[in-house]
């Protein structure tokens, strides 16, 4: 590879709000695509009504009541994007898909062939637009480095032509006025960007201006990567290696595969194998070539890349998306079942444990969680999955309530789930420790004194006699060895219909079992069990 | 050269000392310190099944799940609608990383548990119906495959066709702070015994504060096998009023 640290001149094709096009047949419809209750893409009509990416589902529905809400499905996006990627295969062999909706390739060869960056960009825009039958705006950016090219593509405005070309050597200057948030397009560093913003480093130019050594020592590998990008350098030449060919993994598919689910099964196993092989060498993959061969000898290939490292799950996802794209593509290719599948790591970096955690880590776990939640909501109903929130109240059952998961944002910390969420004291609340079992249906019991008479509590909270035995249905009578109470509860005395006046007791039996009992109007029940 | 005979006692001591370290966070989810010494791996082994039983079964299950959620793992509660979540929070469970499926119904129970075993580290269950051996095997295999822990909270463990990897049983409890007509429940001492397969075939027991007078889980007395010294938490710290 070239020794100089010069960013690769790159062309990026970007279709804004791709998930919308992938999900919706009608470009003019109001539609949002949501993931984990947050809008990830919105159609023009929805945006016109004030819907923005990042809004909660309900807020989006409030702003645009007729909006159609579709769940995000990366496989669907990839399937729809494959014809676009395929349309460019005639122009260059090096098309790399970053995410469905965005692809990139190095312009060096094709630019010379088509007579310059402008000509190439125009041609690419036309080709892609044709592939989409003009149904969707497409933007093309050319600049030094993939990051600058992506921002150039985003900046390209239809009225100024679909393409924006940043002259060679001007990448850093082009990036400088962009806000630091732009880093989030390619790096998952929300905390870092937040810190920088609060430090007053609001633009990429400010960040690039910082001495590199200082950034690395203060912000670690994440800071180093972000600093490189902000300075207009490529992330990748840092430690990119062309891996040895024997790291590629492949398998024969016998019988030939025509169905996506079978292919995906093979893809998962291959991805795991690839990951294990790279891991054994201390490597992680940043670009993978998915290659398939059909019965008739056709060879299909597509590169996927990620600015970070692709872990086994991410590779498996991309392979599955790609296979879906091929096997269900309207372009009538392939013409026969797949007989062979190969994954070739095109670029690898030294895997650093910490960096991998930084790329996936906790957020990936949370992603798994909300995927499971979405599945359960589909199976059991939207309100079947709940999360606890702390409220004010006196009884153990009142102080934590269940909130449907659809109404909260799982991807963020929820202060309402913390015990100190309710600061003000509630007089008369049951003191800690809290009981570990709080039945929803009160279990009626009989509480008697040593003579076997029912224990009564007077209006002035006086006990007729110490409770001696608790009779529970279906259990032997429990002898009370210790008890406390009565603790009168006089709730909503201002409201005649909802006014409650009862008393609570704690009782312990000879085996150490403890109950929270309540009595109202001569009836006793178990409010909670300390088990 | 003469090789000195290995001092077995020293070796065993060393082995004991390195054991929790070698069981890195990858394979074992953390549990309260007081319980760690009772569990063969020093924590909840990923991919295993655990049952709690006895007089403090619910508290034990919550206490076992707590530190994992504090360390960033998620916990799900399926079909244990009456589990006290206030107690969960007091026993160390991060409610911000807790999902509840209160009533998945008999038909939805197994798929729900399976889905959640895929997604979260600790799944607390108490099936209200019999589980077929096939379903059980499938769930246990799923937990093993995904490295999650299936915790059966009290109730009738016999709904499972076979014993879990670990059974944590609460024996007799003793409450402090409550008298005859005065005071209140403040602290509980409970005898906890751990038995099971995979290195836990020899039952271990200890007396635990669940919770102690300060609201924390602590050892009330060391395991009887090494029974010397005084209780870990001085009882003199009792609060008055």
């Amino acid at each position: 590879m070239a020794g100089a640290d010069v960013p690769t001149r790159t062309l990026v094709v970007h279709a804004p709000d791709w998930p919308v096009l992938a999900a919706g047949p009608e470009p003019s419809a109001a539609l949002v695509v949501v993931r984990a209750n947050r809008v990830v893409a919105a159609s023009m009509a929805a945006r016109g009504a004030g819907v923005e990416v990042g809004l909660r589902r309900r807020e989006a529905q409030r702003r645009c009541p007729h909006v159609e809400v579709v769940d995000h499905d990366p496989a669907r996006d990839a399937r729809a994007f494959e014809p676009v990627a395929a349309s460019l295969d005639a122009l260059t062999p090096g098309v790399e898909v970053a995410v469905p909706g965005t692809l990139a390739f190095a312009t060096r060869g094709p630019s010379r062939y088509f007579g310059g960056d402008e000509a190439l960009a125009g041609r690419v825009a036309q080709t892609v637009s044709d592939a989409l039958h003009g149904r969707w705006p497409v933007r093309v950016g050319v600049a030094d480095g993939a990051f600058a090219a992506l921002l150039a593509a985003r900046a390209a405005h239809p009225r100024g032509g679909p393409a924006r070309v940043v002259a060679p050597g001007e990448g850093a200057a082009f990036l400088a006025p962009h806000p630091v948030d732009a880093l989030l397009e390619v790096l998952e560093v929300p905390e870092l960007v937040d810190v920088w913003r609060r430090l007053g480093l609001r633009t990429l130019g400010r960040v690039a201006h910082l001495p590199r050594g200082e950034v690395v020592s203060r912000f670690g590998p994440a800071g180093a990567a972000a600093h490189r990008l902000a300075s207009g350098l490529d992330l990748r030449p840092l430690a990119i290696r062309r891996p040895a060919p024997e790291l590629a993994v492949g398998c024969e598919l016998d019988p030939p595969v025509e169905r996506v689910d079978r292919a995906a099964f093979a893809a998962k196993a291959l991805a795991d194998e690839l990951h294990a092989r790279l891991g054994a060498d201390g490597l992680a993959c940043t670009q993978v070539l998915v290659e398939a061969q059909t019965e008739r000898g056709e060879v299909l290939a597509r590169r996927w890349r990620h600015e970070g490292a692709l872990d086994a799950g991410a590779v498996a996802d991309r392979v599955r998306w790609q296979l879906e794209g091929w096997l269900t593509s309207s372009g009538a290719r392939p013409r026969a079942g797949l007989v062979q599948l190969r994954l070739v790591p095109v670029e690898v970096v030294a895997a650093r444990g910490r960096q991998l955690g930084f790329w996936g880590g906790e957020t990936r776990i949370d992603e798994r969680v909300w995927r499971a939640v979405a599945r359960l909501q589909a199976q059991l109903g939207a309100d079947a999955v709940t999360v606890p929130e702390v409220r004010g109240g006196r009884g153990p059952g009142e102080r934590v309530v269940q909130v449907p998961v659809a109404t909260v944002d799982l991807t963020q910390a929820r202060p309402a789930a913390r015990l100190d969420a309710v600061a003000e004291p509630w007089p008369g609340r049951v003191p800690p420790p809290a009981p570990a079992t709080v039945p929803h249906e009160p279990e009626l019991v009989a509480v008697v004194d040593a003579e076997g008479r029912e224990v009564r509590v007077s209006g002035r909270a006086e006990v007729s006699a110490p409770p001696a035995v608790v009779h529970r249905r279906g259990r032997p009578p429990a002898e009370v060895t210790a008890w406390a109470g009565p603790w009168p509860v006089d709730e909503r005395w201002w409201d005649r219909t909802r006014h409650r006046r009862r008393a609570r007791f704690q009782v312990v039996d000879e085996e150490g079992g403890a109950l929270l009992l309540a009595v109202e109007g001569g009836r006793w029940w178990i409010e909670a069990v300390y088990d | 050269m003469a090789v000195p005979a290995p001092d077995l006692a020293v070796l065993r001591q060393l082995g004991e000392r390195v054991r929790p370290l070698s069981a890195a966070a990858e394979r074992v989810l953390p549990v309260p310190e007081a319980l760690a010494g009772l569990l063969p791996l020093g924590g909840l082994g990923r991919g295993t099944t655990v049952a709690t039983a006895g007089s403090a079964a619910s508290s034990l299950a919550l206490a076992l799940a707590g530190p994992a959620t504090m360390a960033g793992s998620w916990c799900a509660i399926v079909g244990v609608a009456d589990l006290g979540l206030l107690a969960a929070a007091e026993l160390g469970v991060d409610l911000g990383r807790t999902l509840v499926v209160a009533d998945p119904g008999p038909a939805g129970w197994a798929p729900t548990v399976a889905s959640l075993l895929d997604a979260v580290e600790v799944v607390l269950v108490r099936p209200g119906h019999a589980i077929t051996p096939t379903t059980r095997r499938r769930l246990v295999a799923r937990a093993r495959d995904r490295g999650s822990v299936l915790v059966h909270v009290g109730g009738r463990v016999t709904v499972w066709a076979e014993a879990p990897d670990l059974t944590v049983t609460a024996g007799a409890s003793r409450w402090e702070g409550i008298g005859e007509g005065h005071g209140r429940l403040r602290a509980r001492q409970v005898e906890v015994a751990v038995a099971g397969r995979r290195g836990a075939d020899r039952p271990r027991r200890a007396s635990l504060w669940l919770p102690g007078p300060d609201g924390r889980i602590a050892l009330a007395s060391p395991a009887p096998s090494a029974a010397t010294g005084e209780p870990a938490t001085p009882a003199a710290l009792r609060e008055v009023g």
Side-chain angles (χ1 to χ4, degrees):
Chain A
M1 289 202 70
D5 196 354
V6 177
T8 317
R9 193 135 178 91
T10 307
L11 181 146
V12 166
V13 176
H14 176 67
D17 287 319
W18 181 259
V20 171
L21 176 65
E26 197 52 59
S28 61
L31 184 144
V32 291
V33 178
V34 300
R35 187 174 66 167
N37 279 318
R38 292 275 181 187
V39 173
V40 293
S43 71
M44 289 310 287
R47 279 178 190 269
V51 176
E52 289 159 13
V53 168
L55 278 190
R56 286 193 190 189
R57 171 204 291 254
R58 300 217 166 168
E59 178 60 18
Q61 283 169 326
R62 196 186 64 75
R63 292 192 188 177
C64 183
H66 304 298
V67 72
E68 189 183 342
V69 178
V70 179
D71 271 324
H72 188 218
D73 178 4
R76 182 180 59 211
D77 296 351
R79 206 156 53 224
F81 198 58
E82 173 55 23
V84 176
S87 72
L88 292 175
D89 283 350
L91 270 54
T92 170
V95 172
E96 304 167 358
V97 182
V99 290
T102 303
L103 59 78
F105 58 84
T107 63
R108 198 161 147 254
S111 235
R112 246 185 314 189
Y113 184 81
F114 289 104
D117 288 337
E118 259 91 356
L120 174 67
R123 180 140 194 148
V124 167
Q126 190 57 49
T127 309
V128 173
S129 189
D130 288 348
L132 292 172
H133 310 292
R135 289 203 302 145
W136 206 251
V138 172
R139 290 157 190 195
V140 177
V142 183
D144 296 346
F147 179 55
L150 175 63
L151 292 189
R154 292 193 152 243
H157 198 276
R159 258 172 279 158
R164 170 84 186 261
V165 177
V166 178
E170 284 179 21
F174 168 76
L175 288 175
H178 284 84
V180 281
D181 304 52
L183 288 170
L184 299 175
E185 297 284 354
V186 287
L187 292 179
E188 286 170 35
V189 287
E191 297 94 329
L192 184 69
V193 166
D194 188 45
V195 168
W196 281 354
R197 215 187 293 132
R198 281 187 281 140
L199 287 173
L201 298 166
R202 289 171 197 285
T203 63
L204 294 178
R206 291 271 187 111
V207 172
H209 203 67
L210 296 174
R212 175 167 175 71
E214 313 269 3
V215 174
V216 175
S217 63
R218 176 66 186 76
F219 297 105
H227 187 261
R228 280 190 68 86
L229 286 181
S231 315
L233 298 172
D234 268 351
L235 260 192
R236 300 184 293 152
L238 264 181
I240 293 272
R241 304 224 308 260
R242 297 279 160 184
E246 67 266 20
L247 284 174
V249 295
C251 66
E252 306 285 330
L253 303 170
D254 185 25
V257 169
E258 281 167 359
R259 277 176 40 203
V260 174
D261 52 355
R262 266 203 63 211
F265 191 72
K268 176 78 177 73
L270 272 189
D272 285 341
E273 198 190 334
L274 177 69
H275 192 64
R277 274 196 201 183
L278 291 172
D281 286 1
L283 299 173
C285 182
T286 54
Q287 194 182 128
V288 65
L289 175 71
V290 184
E291 214 176 62
Q293 202 177 344
T294 71
E295 275 175 297
R296 297 197 177 182
E298 298 161 286
V299 176
L300 310 168
R302 175 76 59 225
R303 290 185 200 195
W304 285 81
R305 76 170 200 173
H306 193 291
E307 295 293 348
L310 294 160
D311 66 15
V315 170
D317 276 349
R318 280 159 180 76
V319 178
R320 197 187 69 234
W321 300 345
Q322 187 58 51
L323 291 168
E324 289 208 9
W326 283 331
L327 293 173
T328 60
S329 121
S330 53
R333 53 176 284 200
R335 281 182 284 276
L338 306 179
V339 290
Q340 199 187 41
L341 189 61
R342 247 160 65 87
L343 300 183
V344 184
V346 180
E347 284 177 354
V348 294
V349 291
R352 267 180 285 180
R354 185 70 214 113
Q355 212 166 2
L356 284 178
F358 162 66
W359 278 105
E362 222 163 293
T363 54
R364 175 129 313 140
I365 289 167
D366 291 354
E367 185 163 318
R368 254 175 31 211
V369 170
W370 66 247
R371 263 192 219 154
V373 166
R375 199 158 52 231
L376 292 177
Q377 283 175 323
Q379 284 168 7
L380 305 170
D383 291 344
V385 187
T386 55
V387 290
E389 281 192 358
V390 177
R391 295 285 150 84
R394 295 186 178 83
E398 294 164 2
R399 289 182 51 201
V400 175
V401 297
Q402 296 296 330
V403 179
V405 74
T407 61
V408 300
D409 181 5
L410 284 188
T411 59
Q412 280 169 13
R414 290 182 301 116
R418 295 164 51 105
L419 267 194
D420 49 23
V422 178
E424 68 271 43
W426 280 74
R429 79 176 180 193
V430 179
T437 296
V438 184
H440 284 276
E441 298 295 321
E443 179 187 339
L444 291 178
V445 292
V447 178
V448 297
D449 63 16
E451 269 81 55
R453 287 173 310 206
E454 215 165 270
V455 176
R456 303 192 157 274
V457 180
S458 76
R460 302 174 66 183
E462 282 160 347
V463 192
S464 62
V469 180
V470 176
H471 293 275
R472 291 176 75 172
R473 183 170 298 186
R475 297 188 189 219
E479 213 162 293
V480 175
T481 56
W483 60 280
W487 299 325
V489 187
D490 203 357
E491 284 179 326
R492 303 189 196 91
W493 45 264
W494 59 89
D495 182 339
R496 192 169 296 202
T497 53
R498 293 167 68 211
H499 181 195
R500 304 206 62 178
R501 193 182 161 84
R502 58 195 149 139
R504 288 199 171 102
F505 286 80
Q506 285 178 330
V507 299
V508 181
D509 66 26
E510 68 264 53
E511 276 163 20
L515 300 172
L516 181 68
L517 299 179
V519 58
E520 182 174 6
R523 299 201 322 157
W524 289 80
W525 70 91
I526 294 176
E527 195 173 341
V529 185
Y530 294 85
D531 69 338
Chain B
M1 199 165 60
V3 181
D7 186 340
L8 281 181
V10 172
L11 278 181
R12 202 169 295 133
Q13 207 180 342
L14 277 176
E16 204 52 32
R17 202 178 291 170
V18 297
R19 185 179 48 81
L21 292 179
S22 61
E26 313 231 316
R27 291 201 299 116
V28 175
L29 297 172
V31 296
E33 219 176 287
L35 277 160
L38 288 173
L39 304 182
L41 296 173
L44 294 175
R46 281 174 171 272
T48 62
T49 51
V50 179
T52 62
S55 66
S58 302
S59 300
L60 273 175
L62 294 170
L64 284 170
T69 63
M70 286 297 175
S73 299
W74 282 74
C75 162
I77 300 169
V78 183
V80 201
D82 56 3
L83 203 57
L85 291 169
L86 186 61
E90 286 180 5
L91 289 168
V93 175
D94 182 351
L95 296 185
R97 292 206 193 81
T98 303
L99 295 173
V100 180
V101 183
D103 183 19
W109 187 85
T112 303
V113 174
S115 290
L116 287 166
L117 284 172
D118 274 358
V120 307
E121 277 76 2
V122 185
V123 182
L124 305 184
V125 299
R126 185 194 288 152
H129 54 285
I131 308 299
T132 65
T134 323
T135 305
R136 182 202 136 83
R137 262 198 302 279
R138 203 174 295 149
L139 292 177
V140 168
R142 180 76 69 113
R144 195 183 305 129
D145 188 38
R146 300 296 169 148
S148 38
V149 181
L150 186 61
V151 181
H152 182 103
V153 188
R156 292 174 304 129
V157 185
T158 48
V159 295
W160 300 101
E162 54 186 287
D165 294 320
L166 272 187
T167 307
V168 183
T169 310
S173 308
R174 196 166 60 76
W175 283 93
E176 305 229 327
I178 189 168
E180 289 189 29
H182 56 86
R184 62 176 173 86
L185 298 175
R186 280 182 190 279
R188 166 173 53 183
Q189 266 194 53
V190 56
E191 301 293 327
V192 175
V194 176
R197 303 178 280 165
R198 295 195 198 162
D201 30 13
R202 188 169 48 90
R204 310 175 184 214
R205 37 183 84 243
S207 177
L208 237 59
W209 285 109
L210 189 69
D214 55 356
R216 278 194 271 191
I217 304 163
L219 271 181
S221 70
S225 52
T228 45
E230 60 234 71
T233 313
L237 268 181
R238 202 171 307 154
E239 190 182 325
V240 186

